Amino acid sequence: KQWYQRRVREFIVDYSDELCPQAQDAVTRQKMLRKRAKKVKTRITNRITELPVVKLSETGSECPNRNRLTKCIKAMGNTKTREKGLGDLSRTVLTKSDINHLIEKGILVQLCGLLPQQQLQGPVAKLLRQSCTLSTTGAQVCSRYLPDVIDTLTCDSLPSSVHLDLTRLTSTLLRSLNPCDPLTVDMVSLIVSKEIIDSINDTCKLTTRIKDEESCTRLIVSLELLDACCTAVTQPDTAVCTLPSRSDPSQLVETLVFTKMCNIVTLLYGVLLYDGPLRSPSPLEPATLCLVQECLNTLLTIARFSLSTLQSVLDTEGMSLELRHVCNYLLTCATHNSYTSILDLCIQLIGYVVFSHPSNQIMLQNGPSPSILQLLTSLPFSYFSDVKLMNLLFPTLVSACFECPSNIVILQRQVSKVMLIAFLKEQLADKERKHINHYPRATFQQALKFLEAPDTTPKPTTNGAAPEVT
């Protein structure tokens, strides 16, 4: 018996030392991120010291509560008078100049480390919330302030309300920076290295249904931060698939691939299809509607940042199936309940997913009837008559049918390809436009030649179904 127990203990020790490949990759990646965070923080500090000093008091009105705020901060720094300082701060109505004064002096984040955790949910949380709405400072001041906010955001045992306000504040300050500036890229790299994106992934992956409004708000605020990170490293007014292949200094692409884009599609699948397949297009709850809209907006931002990342992640076996069910559900539910914004975002997302990607194009015709492509061709008449809505739907239909004859067969049962040809000619008439609805102009020219060429559509089979694609 003793020999058996000893052998079992040796087996357990030997087995525990050998991690699976995924666990080894996660541990190695975590060590690399921690080392990288120190280097990025040092680089950010050096860049900030090179910036000219900008005093907010010179760019705006004088801080009306300067003396009162100074007394509050001094009182909170003393253990005996801390409660009095908290009370005075909670009764102070802060203005934009007050917030700018706190930002300039670096006081706002210091409060989070100065006060006990149980006292952070009161006046300081209110102050953080006001800073998100009132702070409209310049990029230089935000650059000085943002690293401290990121460090505070990664602190353990932060109350949920303060963590929520700090996440909002990080998104607000990040959007105030100049896109693709070296300092902005370093800020995003710091967020990635601090594993904030990984924590967003954990939150989305563990959510299967919306239990209350607070959990929904937490998800929305987290996705807003991810959206702000992708926007900060994306060139404005750029077409998808036109960016040259280059290394990603922020390591955001690698993180999106590792986390499967923070499992946003899995989150949508769990929230929308928790009770099983769609039986009736019942209306969604307001909180769920806001969450779905934020998820779609974030996916579109990722597509404009790195379309290849979006398509490669969604082309995997399990993710492709989830995406097909989610899109089918959203198209049906949004059409029956007149969720115009959700329907428009879903149409744009489908266009990006299938753009010049044969595997994803075939996904549109898979599944039980009606398929995604059949739902797109049976949308309300306004999408085929209103110019604004045509500019949303027709690029998606062109992406679905470009160099995919089997999709053209399904399309022409409801929509004539002559309409797509006329749309492409109209869009290409303006020769000064470099891209059309974020699609490259050259691709639209190739699509026009493809649709105008004879015998682009194969003959349908005897039962009217699209030919099989091997």
Side-chain angles (χ1 to χ4, degrees):
K1 184 178 179 180
Q2 293 177 354
W3 176 85
Y4 176 76
Q5 292 177 347
R6 186 170 63 254
R7 291 297 300 165
V8 169
R9 285 196 297 268
E10 291 176 357
F11 173 77
I12 292 175
V13 171
D14 293 341
Y15 182 77
S16 61
D17 290 340
E18 296 180 2
L19 298 175
C20 63
Q22 291 183 346
Q24 287 180 346
D25 293 342
V27 172
T28 304
R29 179 173 174 273
Q30 190 176 33
K31 292 180 180 178
M32 291 178 61
L33 287 177
R34 288 177 180 175
K35 292 180 180 179
R36 197 167 188 277
K38 297 179 181 179
K39 296 180 180 179
V40 173
K41 190 68 181 293
T42 304
R43 190 162 64 242
I44 289 176
T45 304
N46 295 335
R47 292 185 188 276
I48 290 177
T49 54
E50 297 174 358
L51 294 176
V53 178
V54 177
K55 293 186 178 181
L56 297 176
S57 56
E58 298 177 357
T59 60
S61 59
E62 188 67 21
C63 175
N65 299 312
R66 181 187 294 268
N67 295 331
R68 189 171 185 178
L69 289 174
T70 303
K71 291 180 181 179
C72 292
I73 301 304
K74 289 182 179 179
M76 285 185 288
N78 191 344
T79 307
K80 297 181 180 180
T81 60
R82 179 170 294 168
E83 296 293 337
K84 181 181 178 180
L86 282 169
D88 292 340
L89 183 61
S90 62
R91 291 189 294 269
T92 304
V93 179
L94 299 176
T95 64
K96 175 182 173 181
S97 300
D98 295 331
I99 297 295
N100 288 342
H101 171 68
L102 293 175
I103 291 175
E104 181 181 354
K105 298 300 180 181
I107 296 173
L108 196 56
V109 178
Q110 293 177 9
L111 293 177
C112 297
L114 179 65
L115 301 176
Q117 299 298 330
Q118 62 270 17
Q119 295 178 345
L120 277 173
Q121 300 186 24
V124 179
K126 172 186 173 184
L127 195 151
L128 288 171
R129 197 174 298 112
Q130 286 181 330
S131 67
C132 295
T133 57
L134 294 177
S135 178
T136 55
T137 59
Q140 294 179 2
V141 178
C142 292
S143 301
R144 299 177 186 275
Y145 183 45
L146 185 55
D148 296 330
V149 178
I150 296 173
D151 289 339
T152 309
L153 186 61
T154 56
C155 292
D156 297 332
S157 68
L158 269 180
S160 59
S161 60
V162 176
H163 189 275
L164 203 64
D165 292 325
L166 282 173
T167 307
R168 283 198 186 100
L169 185 59
T170 305
S171 303
T172 303
L173 296 175
L174 196 59
R175 294 184 189 277
S176 302
L177 304 179
N178 300 322
C180 294
D181 186 76
L183 183 56
T184 306
V185 175
D186 285 340
M187 293 294 181
V188 176
S189 180
L190 182 62
I191 292 175
V192 172
S193 301
K194 290 286 186 176
E195 300 182 65
I196 297 177
I197 305 296
D198 295 72
S199 64
I200 297 175
N201 171 49
D202 296 336
T203 304
C204 295
K205 186 168 56 175
L206 297 176
T207 303
T208 54
R209 67 184 305 176
I210 300 300
K211 298 179 181 179
D212 50 22
E213 189 174 351
E214 182 181 355
S215 60
C216 183
T217 304
R218 184 169 61 253
L219 286 168
I220 291 175
V221 172
S222 299
L223 291 174
E224 286 176 352
L225 177 57
L226 177 61
D227 187 287
C229 290
C230 295
T231 304
V233 291
T234 304
Q235 289 285 356
D237 299 328
T238 306
V240 294
C241 275
T242 59
L243 296 176
S245 56
R246 54 178 173 79
S247 59
D248 178 33
S250 66
Q251 299 295 315
L252 184 57
V253 171
E254 179 185 343
T255 304
L256 290 175
V257 173
F258 183 81
T259 61
K260 296 182 180 179
M261 297 187 302
C262 291
N263 283 281
I264 298 177
V265 177
T266 304
L267 170 65
L268 286 172
Y269 184 81
V271 170
L272 298 175
L273 300 169
Y274 180 82
D275 297 324
L278 176 68
R279 294 181 177 86
S280 61
S282 56
L284 299 175
E285 296 291 333
T288 305
L289 201 62
C290 294
L291 176 61
V292 170
Q293 186 169 354
E294 186 58 40
C295 288
L296 294 176
N297 276 323
T298 306
L299 288 174
L300 289 174
T301 305
I302 294 174
R304 297 184 185 114
F305 165 59
S306 177
L307 183 62
S308 58
T309 301
L310 178 84
Q311 292 179 336
S312 61
V313 171
L314 295 181
D315 190 30
T316 56
E317 185 176 355
M319 198 69 69
S320 177
L321 182 62
E322 290 179 348
L323 178 68
R324 178 161 60 82
H325 284 297
V326 167
C327 290
N328 199 304
Y329 181 96
L330 289 178
L331 289 175
T332 305
C333 183
T335 303
H336 283 77
N337 296 287
S338 301
Y339 296 146
T340 307
S341 58
I342 298 293
L343 188 57
D344 294 347
L345 293 173
C346 187
I347 292 172
Q348 292 181 65
L349 176 62
I350 294 172
Y352 287 150
V353 170
V354 302
F355 178 74
S356 297
H357 200 286
S359 177
N360 289 339
Q361 286 176 327
I362 299 301
M363 182 262 298
L364 297 183
Q365 56 183 272
N366 292 338
S369 181
S371 63
I372 296 177
L373 187 56
Q374 289 172 334
L375 290 173
L376 288 174
T377 56
S378 59
L379 289 174
F381 180 72
S382 57
Y383 280 88
F384 300 91
S385 58
D386 189 354
V387 176
K388 182 179 178 181
L389 297 178
M390 288 171 62
N391 289 333
L392 289 173
L393 176 61
F394 279 31
T396 298
L397 294 179
V398 171
S399 297
C401 298
F402 179 46
E403 295 183 348
C404 186
S406 58
N407 279 352
I408 295 181
V409 173
I410 301 175
L411 173 77
Q412 291 201 120
R413 295 175 191 167
Q414 297 288 338
V415 182
S416 174
K417 71 174 185 177
V418 177
M419 298 180 65
L420 298 183
I421 294 174
F423 170 78
L424 290 174
K425 288 182 178 179
E426 182 181 355
Q427 296 295 321
L428 294 172
D430 187 2
K431 298 182 179 180
E432 295 181 357
R433 297 177 64 178
K434 296 181 180 180
H435 54 86
I436 304 167
N437 293 348
H438 295 284
Y439 288 91
R441 180 185 179 88
T443 305
F444 268 29
Q445 292 174 342
Q446 297 173 5
L448 179 60
K449 294 179 180 179
F450 174 77
L451 292 174
E452 287 182 331
D455 299 328
T456 56
T457 58
K459 296 181 180 180
T461 56
T462 55
N463 58 358
E468 295 183 358
V469 179
T470 58

